[in-house]
Amino acid sequence: MELLLSFRCRPFPLAFGSVSSLIIISFLSCSVFGAKRIPRNETDRLTLLEFKASLSYPLGVLRSWNTIIHYCQWYGVTCGPRHRRVTVLDLQSQNLGGIISPSIGNLTFLRVLNLQNNSFHSRIPPEVGHLYRLRVLHLNNNSLDGPIPPSLSRCFNLVILHVNKMNELFTVGIANNHLGGQQVGGLNFLCTLTNSTKLESLQFKLNNFEGNIPECISNMSTTLMTFSSGENMISGGLPGTIGNLINLELFFVEGNNISGNIPSEIGNLARLKQLYLGRNEFSEEIPHTMGNLSKLIHLSLRSNSLQGAIPSSLSKCQSLLLLDLAGNKLSGAIPPEIMEISSLSIYADFSSNNLTGKLPMEVGNLKNLGALLLQDTRISGEIPSSLGSCIMMENLYMQDNLFEGLIPSTLSNLKGIQELNLSNNMLSGKISKFLEGLNLTSLGLALNEFEGAIPIGGVFRNTVVAVKVLNLMRYGAAKSFISECEALRNIRHRNLVKVITACSGTDSQGNDFKALIYEFMVNGILDGWLHLVVETIEMEEEAPRQLNLLQRLNIAIDVASALDYLHNQCNVPIVHCDLKPSNVLLDDEMTAHEGDFGLVRFMPEATKESVVDPSSSISVKGSFGYIAPEYGAGGDVSTHGDVYSYGILVLEMFTGKRRTDEMFTDGLNLHLFANAALPEQISQVIDSFLLQECRGMESSSNNIRSRRHRNKFQKIQECLVSIIRQGVVCSSECPQDRMNVADVAATLRVIQKELLQAVNQ
Ligand SMILES: *[C@@H]1O[C@H](CO)[C@@H](O)[C@H](O)[C@H]1NC(C)=O
Ligand SMILES: *[C@@H]1O[C@H](CO)[C@@H](O)[C@H](O)[C@H]1NC(C)=O
Ligand SMILES: *[C@@H]1O[C@H](CO)[C@@H](O)[C@H](O)[C@H]1NC(C)=O
Ligand SMILES: *[C@@H]1O[C@H](CO)[C@@H](O)[C@H](O)[C@H]1NC(C)=O
Ligand SMILES: *[C@@H]1O[C@H](CO)[C@@H](O)[C@H](O)[C@H]1NC(C)=O
Ligand SMILES: *[C@@H]1O[C@H](CO)[C@@H](O)[C@H](O)[C@H]1NC(C)=O
Ligand SMILES: *[C@@H]1O[C@H](CO)[C@@H](O)[C@H](O)[C@H]1NC(C)=O
Ligand SMILES: *[C@@H]1O[C@H](CO)[C@@H](O)[C@H](O)[C@H]1NC(C)=O
Ligand SMILES: *[C@@H]1O[C@H](CO)[C@@H](O)[C@H](O)[C@H]1NC(C)=O
Ligand SMILES: *[C@@H]1O[C@H](CO)[C@@H](O)[C@H](O)[C@H]1NC(C)=O
């Protein structure tokens, strides 16, 4: 016995570095109220010092284990109030390393030993078997290895009595070590626990246990509520006697190598809340008895080899929050009954199975569901519009299936949706504009049969999303599509839309499909800026968008630069063949990029000014109104054809008239219309918006400076005449009369300079 100071309050958790600071803090924060004799057990004191001596440095909190303080005040030590024997040793998460000293076996009053989340290595000393009062043993998250000492069964025998009497939880927590090994019979230690009639929690995940789950598991106490043996190397089947563990609430064996069927006796586990059988080799069918598990909240059977149909009885699991059947060989349709599990909220994952049939329209009952994963199955038919009732949905993965028809507009109700992937289906129609209104962080639409323009707002404006321009059947005949795309991938110009990738394949009906994936352009197509678009009913009314004179000129120069690059600066001259305002895309700075190389032709050097391939010239369709007249007459593909289209494009940009305007009848066309106005009547043909812009400049002039401003207006008009003239010459009937686009680009740059000077006068 010795005299020691005693403290009114409990010592601090001593997360301090040194002894001296520790003591000072203890004294400062606690009032010393007197001295008292405290009994001391020399065995416990020496045992703890031996335990400390077997640790590797740094000692951390164990610095407090010194002779100045009574061992019952040492960090992590709790003693019985009277006998002052150590009853609890709790040193979890203290960064301790070294071995667990065999002397631990001398702490015979120990009830709780918690060494979890440290770096103890080597084996569990067999002397732990001496701790016959032990009730709680946490050794998880260390680097222990070797077998579970069989002596543990001795200590458990005695503990049972104690636990029984104290009515306390008995936990064996030895997870996340390297325990196990076949040499000691793998999981047979489980059988040593069968006398532990109060065992409630058995956790040994993340070890290296091999071998079968022994039959004796059935003799484990029916008090067992937690069985967690995930991430080991357990093999063999799951014994049907598992059904005896009627109080089981969590059964977690993910990440082992368990095979055979899921025993139907599993349906007896009426209190089961979480069942994780994923990543094993379970095969055969999911037992119908699972429908008995009415308390089940998590069910994961993912990544097994389960076959057959999804049992409709699962619909009786009305507490399920999470259903994961992904990565099996399940077949047949998803039973509509499954969609009655309205509790489902976390996620439902059916992906990567061999499912067929339609997505049941009852899916709309899953009003709480946060994520639905259906990718990579063979589900077909239309996407049910009821899906729009799943208003809590955040992630919807439907890619790699056989969905067809339109994207239902009801999906616009999914206000919380973040990720939507519909790639690689057979969806058709327009890409619905409502998608703009969803707050998506990711959208996959590639490899469908969509047509028409891509919406330009919302997600389509987004740092991260690559909008995919999709396969179009009209390319069907292009033989060397992929090699052309490969070539396009290698051509780079600031005024060409960057082709990110190209895809080709065969759809379920045996049709070839081909898709180009372009860089996304925020401001959409030039066509939409030139002509007020009132296209579809679902499109909300948009304010007319207008480009000013300088913007139009810049765009004309951008397009000419791109053509110049294609025609004159690539290894092989490239003819675009489909130049028109809807193939010119505008980025966030209104810089123009030429896109859609679907009809592009490569011209071998030798035939630079003439045909590529005699057979290809007849397949050139181009677009009505922009295609050069000689193509219509069976003429050869050449760069002159592009220049014609370019001329029409320029005229369209500056006159604001479509090539197809109803005024162009009886032999009148855009070319003749513009040509006739040169040069005096120019204001008769210029887009009225541009005229207003010019007149604005004129009327803003006051009397004093009117002369200068008249000059300015005249200069601007001269520029307009020059621009229109470029358009007229480029769209000449006869190919030889057209200019080389390099000269056009150069001329337009000169005009640009003059215009800037005039405007800034
Ligand atoms: C602890 O027990 C071992 C036997 O397991 C014994 O050799 C050792 O001396 C004991 N230590 C103390 C401090 O009593
Ligand atoms: C495990 O221990 C480390 C310190 O070694 C600590 O940072 C971490 O929070 C601990 N983890 C848990 C779950 O207690
Ligand atoms: C186990 O250790 C890892 C890594 O230090 C840590 O992230 C985890 O929280 C620990 N778990 C427990 C239960 O202490
Ligand atoms: C279980 O207890 C019985 C006596 O009740 C004993 O004979 C048997 O050896 C114990 N089993 C184990 C594994 O300790
Ligand atoms: C389980 O316990 C019963 C008695 O309750 C016994 O007959 C049987 O042999 C035990 N089975 C195993 C595998 O230990
Ligand atoms: C899993 O078990 C099967 C037999 O069921 C065996 O052939 C296979 O080697 C095991 N795999 C591993 C990784 O242990
Ligand atoms: C368990 O499920 C089976 C098959 O679905 C059924 O026949 C049986 O009545 C169920 N048992 C209970 C206790 O609900
Ligand atoms: C998928 O199911 C079909 C029948 O629906 C069957 O013919 C096919 O073999 C199954 N494929 C796999 C990989 O199980
Ligand atoms: C859109 O989603 C982001 C991130 O998911 C969130 O921060 C933002 O508030 C959302 N915006 C709207 C309008 O819901
Ligand atoms: C959509 O799914 C496809 C196929 O799994 C994948 O390649 C693509 O990256 C996904 N798209 C998005 C935007 O997540």
Side-chain angles (χ1 to χ4, degrees):
M1 303 278 169
E2 91 187 82
L3 269 173
L4 272 178
L5 292 170
S6 174
F7 305 117
R8 191 191 298 264
C9 47
R10 287 178 57 84
F12 270 23
L14 304 177
F16 305 99
S18 72
V19 175
S20 54
S21 61
L22 157 73
I23 289 172
I24 289 163
I25 286 178
S26 296
F27 274 75
L28 283 179
S29 50
C30 304
S31 59
V32 178
F33 65 91
K36 190 181 164 189
R37 274 173 199 282
I38 298 178
R40 198 172 71 175
N41 180 288
E42 200 58 15
T43 305
D44 281 7
R45 194 178 74 93
L46 292 175
T47 299
L48 289 172
L49 288 175
E50 270 186 49
F51 179 87
K52 176 183 172 185
S54 69
L55 298 176
S56 54
Y57 285 84
L59 290 177
V61 294
L62 290 212
R63 287 176 202 279
S64 72
W65 289 22
N66 58 51
T67 50
I68 303 171
I69 308 174
H70 190 280
Y71 66 81
C72 290
Q73 311 280 9
W74 288 355
Y75 182 85
V77 177
T78 304
C79 294
R82 293 221 185 93
H83 54 57
R84 311 304 287 172
R85 301 296 303 270
V86 178
T87 54
V88 175
L89 183 57
D90 182 355
L91 295 172
Q92 64 173 305
S93 301
Q94 291 305 327
N95 237 331
L96 300 174
I99 63 160
I100 301 175
S101 166
S103 68
I104 196 87
N106 297 348
L107 296 176
T108 48
F109 279 71
L110 209 57
R111 289 186 284 123
V112 176
L113 177 57
N114 189 349
L115 303 178
Q116 76 181 356
N117 192 25
N118 284 290
S119 301
F120 288 104
H121 62 81
S122 200
R123 59 193 192 131
I124 302 174
E127 286 79 1
V128 171
H130 300 171
L131 301 175
Y132 64 92
R133 287 190 172 94
L134 199 63
R135 287 203 295 263
V136 177
L137 176 59
H138 285 296
L139 297 175
N140 50 305
N141 244 19
N142 280 285
S143 302
L144 297 165
D145 53 30
I148 303 269
S151 61
L152 220 54
S153 66
R154 280 194 282 141
C155 105
F156 292 151
N157 285 337
L158 293 162
V159 164
I160 297 160
L161 290 169
H162 214 114
V163 169
N164 195 15
K165 196 172 92 200
M166 302 296 288
N167 198 23
E168 275 185 34
L169 178 71
F170 184 95
T171 297
V172 179
I174 49 176
N176 202 358
N177 280 291
H178 312 291
L179 302 168
Q182 223 159 16
Q183 71 278 12
V184 288
L187 293 176
N188 279 336
F189 81 93
L190 290 179
C191 299
T192 71
L193 300 179
T194 56
N195 276 355
S196 310
T197 56
K198 289 292 170 187
L199 192 64
E200 290 185 10
S201 174
L202 180 57
Q203 305 180 41
F204 54 100
K205 69 176 175 187
L206 277 164
N207 282 294
N208 292 317
F209 286 108
E210 292 178 1
N212 298 0
I213 294 182
E215 287 275 338
C216 69
I217 192 169
S218 60
N219 283 18
M220 303 211 56
S221 169
T222 54
T223 56
L224 195 67
M225 299 195 303
T226 300
F227 184 94
S228 169
S229 70
E231 319 300 339
N232 279 281
M233 301 194 299
I234 302 169
S235 53
L238 190 60
T241 50
I242 186 84
N244 295 355
L245 300 175
I246 53 167
N247 281 308
L248 214 51
E249 291 184 2
L250 179 144
F251 189 69
F252 187 107
V253 296
E254 285 215 356
N256 283 284
N257 191 19
I258 305 175
S259 54
N261 66 343
I262 300 174
S264 63
E265 289 88 343
I266 207 124
N268 293 347
L269 304 179
R271 290 171 185 245
L272 207 55
K273 288 185 178 155
Q274 302 186 46
L275 180 58
Y276 283 91
L277 304 182
R279 293 184 288 120
N280 287 284
E281 292 191 344
F282 286 107
S283 56
E284 301 180 36
E285 298 197 357
I286 300 175
H288 288 271
T289 54
M290 277 209 183
N292 292 354
L293 304 178
S294 59
K295 295 222 163 71
L296 206 58
I297 55 173
H298 294 182
L299 174 59
S300 171
L301 306 177
R302 70 178 292 120
S303 303
N304 280 289
S305 302
L306 294 164
Q307 294 163 8
I310 299 173
S312 57
S313 64
L314 282 186
S315 66
K316 292 192 284 166
C317 302
Q318 284 284 337
S319 305
L320 271 188
L321 307 177
L322 178 164
L323 175 62
D324 192 342
L325 303 177
N328 282 287
K329 295 176 183 166
L330 298 169
S331 55
I334 300 179
E337 292 88 345
I338 296 291
M339 304 304 178
E340 309 291 345
I341 312 176
S342 52
S343 54
L344 275 177
S345 57
I346 301 177
Y347 70 87
D349 191 348
F350 301 92
S351 65
S352 298
N353 274 293
N354 194 13
L355 299 171
T356 49
K358 295 185 175 193
L359 179 63
M361 64 165 199
E362 288 82 354
V363 70
N365 295 336
L366 302 179
K367 296 207 181 343
N368 298 310
L369 194 60
L372 179 61
L373 297 91
L374 297 168
Q375 72 271 22
D376 185 26
T377 65
R378 299 194 299 133
I379 299 177
S380 57
E382 297 198 347
I383 298 177
S385 61
S386 57
L387 194 55
S389 304
C390 305
I391 51 172
M392 299 304 282
M393 197 71 79
E394 292 182 356
N395 307 79
L396 185 52
Y397 301 126
M398 307 177 76
Q399 68 267 27
D400 301 318
N401 283 299
L402 304 171
F403 286 109
E404 61 190 28
L406 307 177
I407 303 177
S409 61
T410 52
L411 293 197
S412 62
N413 297 331
L414 307 183
K415 298 292 185 213
I417 194 157
Q418 292 172 10
E419 293 184 58
L420 173 62
N421 199 337
L422 300 170
S423 297
N424 195 17
N425 281 286
M426 302 189 303
L427 297 166
S428 55
K430 275 186 180 298
I431 296 179
S432 321
K433 189 158 165 66
F434 73 79
L435 290 172
E436 284 182 1
L438 297 176
N439 190 11
L440 290 164
T441 58
S442 152
L443 171 66
L445 297 172
L447 304 183
N448 281 286
E449 288 161 20
F450 294 118
E451 59 195 27
I454 296 171
I456 59 168
V459 65
F460 298 95
R461 215 182 277 279
N462 191 336
T463 60
V464 199
V465 179
V467 168
K468 284 129 196 193
V469 175
L470 307 145
N471 61 311
L472 298 166
M473 299 304 287
R474 66 188 165 100
Y475 298 145
K479 286 175 283 185
S480 56
F481 182 81
I482 285 298
S483 59
E484 289 175 357
C485 294
E486 281 303 314
L488 283 173
R489 274 167 62 151
N490 298 324
I491 60 174
R492 288 282 144 86
H493 189 272
R494 68 181 287 270
N495 298 119
L496 290 179
V497 175
K498 204 169 125 202
V499 178
I500 295 166
T501 187
C503 325
S504 171
T506 309
D507 71 17
S508 60
Q509 273 134 38
N511 299 313
D512 282 346
F513 67 75
K514 298 170 196 312
L516 278 172
I517 298 172
Y518 292 121
E519 184 181 35
F520 179 63
M521 294 285 142
V522 164
N523 277 312
I525 57 175
L526 175 60
D527 199 66
W529 287 85
L530 295 180
H531 310 288
L532 185 57
V533 205
V534 194
E535 274 195 332
T536 60
I537 309 160
E538 64 183 336
M539 206 165 192
E540 282 151 40
E541 206 164 312
E542 284 188 27
R545 302 181 290 181
Q546 294 288 3
L547 296 167
N548 66 31
L549 179 57
L550 208 53
Q551 282 175 318
R552 292 186 207 212
L553 182 55
N554 290 342
I555 291 168
I557 292 171
D558 287 340
V559 177
S561 306
L563 272 190
D564 177 26
Y565 171 82
L566 290 174
H567 289 181
N568 304 314
Q569 292 165 37
C570 295
N571 289 340
V572 175
I574 298 168
V575 185
H576 186 281
C577 289
D578 200 14
L579 183 61
K580 56 180 174 180
S582 60
N583 283 344
V584 172
L585 295 133
L586 301 173
D587 69 15
D588 53 344
E589 291 173 334
M590 298 305 285
T591 301
H593 303 255
E594 212 173 310
D596 199 339
F597 305 92
L599 297 180
V600 79
R601 287 289 180 279
F602 292 78
M603 298 180 61
E605 200 67 41
T607 60
K608 193 161 180 168
E609 294 291 305
S610 66
V611 206
V612 196
D613 165 6
S615 68
S616 72
S617 57
I618 48 163
S619 71
V620 172
K621 296 240 166 50
S623 297
F624 177 69
Y626 301 93
I627 190 165
E630 66 271 21
Y631 291 175
D636 301 329
V637 171
S638 77
T639 53
H640 298 307
D642 277 355
V643 175
Y644 177 88
S645 309
Y646 176 77
I648 295 294
L649 182 136
V650 168
L651 293 181
E652 188 164 332
M653 279 176 72
F654 288 87
T655 64
K657 291 249 180 304
R658 267 192 205 280
R659 162 63 183 78
T660 52
D661 193 290
E662 56 189 12
M663 73 178 287
F664 299 132
T665 50
D666 296 333
L668 182 61
N669 62 29
L670 190 50
H671 169 85
L672 295 173
F673 169 71
N675 195 17
L678 285 175
E680 272 81 23
Q681 304 300 311
I682 191 76
S683 54
Q684 305 293 311
V685 296
I686 290 296
D687 183 352
S688 57
F689 178 82
L690 291 183
L691 272 190
Q692 272 173 31
E693 191 191 349
C694 298
R695 294 223 172 94
M697 294 175 193
E698 188 183 35
S699 65
S700 73
S701 60
N702 58 39
N703 289 334
I704 299 164
R705 295 191 298 166
S706 63
R707 185 191 158 86
R708 191 199 251 186
H709 278 267
R710 264 201 303 279
N711 272 344
K712 177 174 173 175
F713 183 61
Q714 199 174 339
K715 261 272 183 263
I716 293 170
Q717 225 169 355
E718 281 166 18
C719 290
L720 282 170
V721 169
S722 305
I723 294 167
I724 294 291
R725 184 163 280 138
Q726 299 299 306
V728 166
V729 175
C730 287
S731 58
S732 296
E733 179 90 8
C734 173
Q736 278 68 36
D737 292 345
R738 298 173 203 152
M739 297 166 73
N740 184 310
V741 76
D743 298 334
V744 179
T747 308
L748 289 179
R749 282 195 198 99
V750 172
I751 297 172
Q752 182 191 41
K753 208 175 274 174
E754 285 172 3
L755 189 63
L756 279 173
Q757 273 172 8
V759 170
N760 293 329
Q761 239 174 35

